[in-house]
């Protein structure tokens, strides 16, 4: 796992080159358990 800093207030989570969450697309910050579920799927 690697954390890649960015700017502009966009929060995205990518696992194995696949975006699993984008705050820009949803408009809300994810809950921790939501991200964990998506990473384990």
């Amino acid at each position: 796992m690697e954390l890649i800093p960015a700017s502009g207030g966009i929060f995205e989570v990518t696992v194995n080159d696949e975006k699993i969450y984008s705050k820009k697309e949803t408009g809300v910050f994810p809950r921790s358990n939501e991200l964990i579920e998506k990473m384990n799927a």
Side-chain angles (χ1 to χ4, degrees), residues 1-37:
M1 181 174 6
E2 180 181 3
L3 179 61
I4 302 172
S7 63
I10 296 173
F11 179 83
E12 294 185 332
V13 178
T14 304
V15 176
N16 296 329
D17 295 323
E18 179 182 343
K19 183 170 40 174
I20 63 167
Y21 190 84
S22 171
K23 180 180 179 275
K24 183 178 179 181
E25 293 173 8
T26 64
V28 296
F29 199 80
R31 296 184 323 265
S32 297
N33 62 332
E34 179 182 2
L35 289 179
I36 292 168
E37 289 173 11

